[in-house]
Coordinates of all heavy atoms in Angstrom, one line a residue:
A6 N 8.3 -3.3 9.6 CA 8.4 -1.9 9.5 C 9.3 -1.3 10.6 O 9.6 -2.0 11.6 CB 7.0 -1.2 9.7
E7 N 9.9 -0.2 10.3 CA 10.8 0.5 11.3 C 10.6 2.0 11.2 O 10.2 2.5 10.2 CB 12.2 0.1 11.0 CG 12.8 0.5 9.6 CD 14.2 0.0 9.4 OE1 14.8 -0.6 10.3 OE2 14.7 0.2 8.3
I8 N 10.9 2.6 12.3 CA 10.8 4.1 12.3 C 12.0 4.6 13.1 O 12.4 4.1 14.1 CB 9.5 4.5 13.0 CG1 9.3 6.0 12.9 CG2 9.4 4.0 14.4 CD1 7.9 6.5 13.2
T9 N 12.7 5.6 12.5 CA 13.9 6.2 13.1 C 13.5 7.2 14.2 O 12.3 7.5 14.4 CB 14.7 6.9 12.1 OG1 14.0 8.1 11.6 CG2 15.0 6.0 10.9
R10 N 14.5 7.6 14.9 CA 14.3 8.6 16.0 C 13.7 9.9 15.4 O 13.0 10.6 16.1 CB 15.6 8.9 16.7 CG 15.5 9.9 17.8 CD 16.8 10.0 18.6 NE 16.7 11.1 19.6 CZ 16.1 11.0 20.7 NH1 15.5 9.9 21.1 NH2 16.1 12.1 21.6
G11 N 14.1 10.2 14.2 CA 13.6 11.4 13.5 C 12.2 11.2 12.9 O 11.7 12.2 12.3
G12 N 11.6 10.0 13.0 CA 10.3 9.8 12.5 C 10.2 9.3 11.1 O 9.0 9.1 10.6
R13 N 11.3 9.0 10.5 CA 11.2 8.4 9.1 C 10.9 6.9 9.2 O 11.4 6.2 10.1 CB 12.5 8.6 8.4 CG 12.9 10.0 8.1 CD 14.2 10.1 7.3 NE 14.5 11.4 7.0 CZ 15.6 11.8 6.3 NH1 16.4 10.8 5.8 NH2 15.9 13.1 6.0
S14 N 10.0 6.4 8.4 CA 9.6 5.0 8.5 C 9.7 4.3 7.1 O 9.8 4.9 6.1 CB 8.1 5.0 8.9 OG 7.3 5.6 7.9
Q15 N 9.9 3.0 7.3 CA 9.9 2.1 6.1 C 9.0 0.9 6.4 O 8.9 0.5 7.6 CB 11.4 1.6 5.9 CG 12.4 2.7 5.5 CD 13.8 2.1 5.2 OE1 14.0 1.0 5.6 NE2 14.6 2.9 4.6
H16 N 8.4 0.4 5.4 CA 7.6 -0.7 5.5 C 7.9 -1.8 4.5 O 8.3 -1.4 3.3 CB 6.1 -0.3 5.3 CG 5.6 0.7 6.3 ND1 5.9 2.0 6.3 CD2 4.9 0.5 7.5 CE1 5.3 2.6 7.3 NE2 4.7 1.7 8.0
A17 N 7.8 -3.0 4.8 CA 8.1 -4.1 3.9 C 7.1 -4.0 2.8 O 5.9 -3.6 2.9 CB 8.0 -5.4 4.6
D18 N 7.5 -4.4 1.6 CA 6.6 -4.3 0.4 C 5.3 -5.1 0.6 O 4.3 -4.7 0.1 CB 7.3 -4.9 -0.8 CG 8.4 -4.0 -1.3 OD1 8.4 -2.8 -1.0 OD2 9.3 -4.5 -2.1
S19 N 5.4 -6.2 1.4 CA 4.2 -7.0 1.6 C 3.1 -6.3 2.4 O 2.0 -6.8 2.4 CB 4.6 -8.3 2.3 OG 5.2 -8.1 3.5
V20 N 3.5 -5.3 3.1 CA 2.5 -4.6 4.0 C 2.3 -3.2 3.6 O 1.4 -2.5 4.3 CB 2.9 -4.7 5.5 CG1 3.1 -6.2 5.9 CG2 4.1 -3.9 5.8
K21 N 3.0 -2.6 2.7 CA 2.8 -1.3 2.3 C 1.4 -1.0 1.9 O 0.8 -1.7 1.2 CB 3.8 -0.9 1.1 CG 5.2 -0.7 1.5 CD 6.1 -0.3 0.3 CE 7.5 0.0 0.8 NZ 8.4 0.3 -0.4
G22 N 0.9 0.1 2.3 CA -0.5 0.5 2.1 C -1.5 -0.1 3.0 O -2.7 0.3 3.0
R23 N -1.0 -1.0 3.8 CA -2.0 -1.7 4.8 C -1.5 -1.5 6.2 O -2.4 -1.3 7.1 CB -2.0 -3.2 4.5 CG -2.5 -3.5 3.1 CD -2.8 -5.0 2.9 NE -1.5 -5.8 3.1 CZ -1.3 -6.7 4.1 NH1 -2.3 -6.9 5.0 NH2 -0.2 -7.4 4.2
F24 N -0.2 -1.5 6.5 CA 0.3 -1.3 7.8 C 1.0 0.1 8.0 O 1.6 0.6 7.0 CB 1.3 -2.3 8.2 CG 0.8 -3.7 8.3 CD1 -0.5 -4.1 8.0 CD2 1.7 -4.7 8.8 CE1 -0.9 -5.4 8.1 CE2 1.2 -6.0 8.9 CZ -0.1 -6.4 8.5
T25 N 0.9 0.7 9.1 CA 1.5 1.9 9.4 C 2.2 1.9 10.8 O 1.6 1.6 11.8 CB 0.5 3.1 9.4 OG1 -0.1 3.2 8.1 CG2 1.3 4.4 9.6
I26 N 3.5 2.2 10.8 CA 4.2 2.3 12.1 C 4.2 3.7 12.5 O 4.3 4.6 11.7 CB 5.6 1.7 11.9 CG1 6.3 1.5 13.3 CG2 6.5 2.5 11.0 CD1 7.6 0.8 13.2
S27 N 4.2 3.9 13.8 CA 4.3 5.2 14.4 C 4.9 5.1 15.8 O 5.0 4.0 16.3 CB 2.9 5.9 14.5 OG 2.0 5.1 15.3
R28 N 5.2 6.2 16.4 CA 5.8 6.2 17.7 C 5.3 7.4 18.5 O 5.0 8.5 18.0 CB 7.3 6.2 17.7 CG 8.0 7.4 17.1 CD 9.5 7.1 16.8 NE 10.2 7.0 18.1 CZ 11.5 6.7 18.1 NH1 12.2 6.4 17.0 NH2 12.1 6.7 19.3
D29 N 5.3 7.2 19.8 CA 4.9 8.3 20.7 C 6.2 8.5 21.6 O 6.6 7.6 22.4 CB 3.8 7.8 21.6 CG 3.3 9.0 22.5 OD1 4.1 9.7 23.1 OD2 2.0 9.1 22.7
Y30 N 6.8 9.6 21.4 CA 8.1 9.9 22.1 C 7.9 10.0 23.6 O 8.8 9.5 24.4 CB 8.8 11.1 21.5 CG 9.2 11.0 20.1 CD1 8.3 11.4 19.0 CD2 10.4 10.5 19.7 CE1 8.6 11.2 17.7 CE2 10.8 10.4 18.4 CZ 9.9 10.8 17.4 OH 10.3 10.7 16.1
A31 N 6.9 10.6 24.0 CA 6.6 10.8 25.4 C 6.4 9.5 26.2 O 6.7 9.4 27.3 CB 5.5 11.8 25.6
K32 N 5.7 8.6 25.5 CA 5.4 7.3 26.1 C 6.4 6.2 25.8 O 6.2 5.1 26.3 CB 4.0 6.9 25.7 CG 2.9 7.8 26.1 CD 1.5 7.3 25.7 CE 0.4 8.2 26.2 NZ -0.9 7.7 25.8
N33 N 7.4 6.5 25.1 CA 8.4 5.5 24.7 C 7.7 4.3 24.1 O 8.0 3.1 24.4 CB 9.3 5.1 25.9 CG 10.2 6.1 26.4 OD1 10.6 7.0 25.5 ND2 10.5 6.1 27.6
T34 N 6.7 4.5 23.2 CA 5.9 3.5 22.7 C 5.9 3.5 21.1 O 5.9 4.6 20.5 CB 4.5 3.6 23.2 OG1 4.5 3.5 24.6 CG2 3.6 2.5 22.6
V35 N 6.0 2.3 20.5 CA 5.8 2.2 19.1 C 4.6 1.4 18.8 O 4.2 0.5 19.5 CB 7.1 1.5 18.5 CG1 7.3 0.1 19.0 CG2 7.0 1.5 17.0
Y36 N 3.9 1.8 17.7 CA 2.6 1.2 17.3 C 2.7 0.6 15.9 O 3.5 1.1 15.1 CB 1.5 2.2 17.4 CG 1.3 2.9 18.7 CD1 1.9 4.2 18.9 CD2 0.6 2.4 19.7 CE1 1.8 4.8 20.1 CE2 0.4 3.1 20.9 CZ 1.0 4.3 21.1 OH 0.8 5.0 22.3
L37 N 1.9 -0.4 15.7 CA 1.7 -0.9 14.3 C 0.3 -1.0 14.1 O -0.4 -1.9 14.6 CB 2.4 -2.2 14.2 CG 2.4 -2.8 12.7 CD1 3.3 -1.9 11.8 CD2 2.9 -4.2 12.7
Q38 N -0.2 -0.1 13.2 CA -1.6 -0.1 12.8 C -1.8 -1.0 11.6 O -1.1 -0.8 10.6 CB -2.1 1.3 12.5 CG -3.6 1.3 12.0 CD -4.6 0.9 13.1 OE1 -4.5 1.4 14.2 NE2 -5.4 -0.1 12.8
M39 N -2.5 -2.1 11.7 CA -2.6 -3.1 10.7 C -4.1 -3.1 10.2 O -5.0 -3.3 11.0 CB -2.2 -4.5 11.2 CG -0.9 -4.5 11.8 SD -0.4 -6.3 12.3 CE -1.5 -6.5 13.6
S40 N -4.2 -2.9 8.9 CA -5.5 -2.9 8.3 C -5.5 -3.8 7.1 O -4.5 -4.2 6.6 CB -5.9 -1.5 7.8 OG -5.9 -0.5 8.9
S41 N -6.7 -4.1 6.6 CA -6.9 -5.0 5.5 C -6.0 -6.3 5.7 O -5.3 -6.7 4.8 CB -6.5 -4.3 4.2 OG -7.2 -3.2 4.0
L42 N -6.2 -6.8 6.8 CA -5.3 -8.0 7.2 C -5.7 -9.2 6.3 O -6.8 -9.4 5.9 CB -5.5 -8.4 8.7 CG -4.8 -7.5 9.6 CD1 -5.4 -7.6 11.0 CD2 -3.3 -7.8 9.6
K43 N -4.6 -10.0 6.0 CA -4.7 -11.2 5.2 C -4.2 -12.3 6.0 O -3.5 -12.2 7.0 CB -3.8 -11.0 4.0 CG -4.1 -9.8 3.1 CD -3.1 -9.7 2.0 CE -3.3 -8.5 1.1 NZ -2.3 -8.4 0.0
P44 N -4.7 -13.5 5.6 CA -4.2 -14.7 6.4 C -2.7 -14.9 6.4 O -2.2 -15.4 7.4 CB -4.9 -15.9 5.6 CG -6.2 -15.3 5.1 CD -5.8 -13.9 4.7
E45 N -2.0 -14.4 5.3 CA -0.6 -14.5 5.3 C 0.1 -13.6 6.3 O 1.3 -13.6 6.5 CB 0.0 -14.3 3.9 CG -0.6 -13.1 3.2 CD -1.8 -13.4 2.3 OE1 -2.7 -14.2 2.7 OE2 -1.8 -12.9 1.1
D46 N -0.7 -12.7 6.9 CA -0.1 -11.8 8.0 C 0.0 -12.6 9.3 O 0.5 -12.0 10.3 CB -1.0 -10.6 8.1 CG -0.9 -9.7 6.9 OD1 0.1 -9.5 6.3 OD2 -2.0 -9.1 6.6
T47 N -0.6 -13.7 9.4 CA -0.6 -14.5 10.6 C 0.9 -14.8 11.0 O 1.6 -15.4 10.2 CB -1.4 -15.8 10.4 OG1 -2.7 -15.5 10.2 CG2 -1.2 -16.7 11.7
A48 N 1.2 -14.5 12.2 CA 2.6 -14.6 12.7 C 2.6 -14.1 14.2 O 1.7 -13.6 14.7 CB 3.6 -13.9 11.9
V49 N 3.8 -14.4 14.8 CA 4.1 -13.8 16.1 C 4.8 -12.5 15.7 O 5.8 -12.5 15.0 CB 4.9 -14.6 17.0 CG1 5.3 -13.9 18.3 CG2 4.2 -15.9 17.3
Y50 N 4.3 -11.4 16.3 CA 4.9 -10.1 16.0 C 5.8 -9.6 17.2 O 5.3 -9.7 18.3 CB 3.8 -9.0 15.7 CG 3.2 -9.2 14.3 CD1 2.4 -10.3 14.0 CD2 3.5 -8.2 13.4 CE1 1.9 -10.4 12.8 CE2 3.0 -8.4 12.1 CZ 2.2 -9.5 11.8 OH 1.6 -9.6 10.5

């Protein structure tokens, strides 16, 4: 997933509907909320 400076996001088809990317501008932080996790999501992120 990726998110632009303007807040527009894109998610890979494999995670759409399950993962959500977001950012906190004040904290210079990006998040990835992952739900309904599957074994195939196992990886180093």
